[in-house]
Amino acid sequence: MASTNGMAIATVLLRILAVLLAAGCATVLILDKATDLDGSKVTFKVVIGYRYVLATAVVAAAYCLLQLPFALYYACTEKRLIRGDFLPSLDFYGDKVIAFLLATGVGAGFLVTADLKNFVGDVLQQLFGEDLEDTPFESFFNKGYLATGLLAGAFLCMAVLSIFSSLLRASSGSRGFFR
């Protein structure tokens, strides 16, 4: 029973950490702005990939916030708030879906940042003869990397939670979805 209680406490801590990392990702992306020399502003809304990263962060944070009271109750009492197989199934399938969603967000964020950074750097070099490091866009892309890195941390938390929910579901004797 001690390992189940320890796993339940770790589940609560990982859910809290996932919420904080996803919220941090969303905050960094929303505050990420760059102003060019001519006064035009660039935000995350311009880059479709960053909008997807933001959406995955918001969905993951909402899911973890939804699951947090159930995880806290289970960690304190070692009983499920709702009896039956519903909550273990929700943990099992929900954690996997959110983990895969976060993985796609991380991939999209890193890919779009790397591609745009190379493209904008090449365009600035060819048209104006200046490096990307001398422009405000360098900071914009670095914040994109930071936000995606925070989302990667949330993905790691959800991946571990997915393993925990698999172990808890197997130990509870659940027969599965297709009984």
Side-chain angles (χ1 to χ4, degrees):
M1 205 44 95
S3 67
T4 304
N5 191 24
M7 197 178 299
I9 292 170
T11 299
V12 170
L13 294 176
L14 284 170
R15 289 205 189 279
I16 291 171
L17 185 59
V19 168
L20 293 175
L21 289 169
C25 169
T27 303
V28 168
L29 272 181
I30 290 171
L31 296 177
D32 191 10
K33 294 178 176 65
T35 304
D36 200 2
L37 296 174
D38 64 355
S40 61
K41 292 187 178 186
V42 176
T43 64
F44 77 95
K45 296 175 189 174
V46 175
V47 183
I48 293 174
Y50 285 164
R51 286 190 271 173
Y52 182 74
V53 170
L54 179 67
T56 58
V58 168
V59 168
Y63 172 76
C64 287
L65 283 174
L66 173 76
Q67 286 284 71
L68 197 56
F70 300 117
L72 279 168
Y73 184 82
Y74 183 71
C76 292
T77 64
E78 295 184 14
K79 296 178 185 175
R80 294 286 182 175
L81 186 61
I82 300 173
R83 306 289 182 239
D85 200 31
F86 175 72
L87 283 179
S89 295
L90 179 66
D91 289 346
F92 181 74
Y93 294 112
D95 289 349
K96 284 170 185 29
V97 167
I98 297 299
F100 282 118
L101 182 71
L102 285 172
T104 62
V106 169
F110 279 132
L111 183 66
V112 77
T113 302
D115 279 351
L116 280 176
K117 196 170 184 178
N118 287 336
F119 176 74
V120 171
D122 289 346
V123 167
L124 287 174
Q125 187 66 36
Q126 289 176 359
L127 293 180
F128 303 110
E130 64 180 84
D131 290 329
L132 182 65
E133 291 85 20
D134 301 334
T135 66
F137 294 113
E138 176 73 16
S139 172
F140 178 77
F141 292 129
N142 287 341
K143 288 178 186 171
Y145 276 133
L146 173 65
T148 306
L150 291 171
L151 195 66
F155 161 71
L156 289 175
C157 291
M158 288 306 299
V160 173
L161 283 168
S162 175
I163 294 168
F164 284 176
S165 65
S166 298
L167 292 173
L168 287 172
R169 185 175 164 91
S171 70
S172 70
S174 179
R175 295 184 312 191
F177 186 71
F178 297 108
R179 301 176 204 251

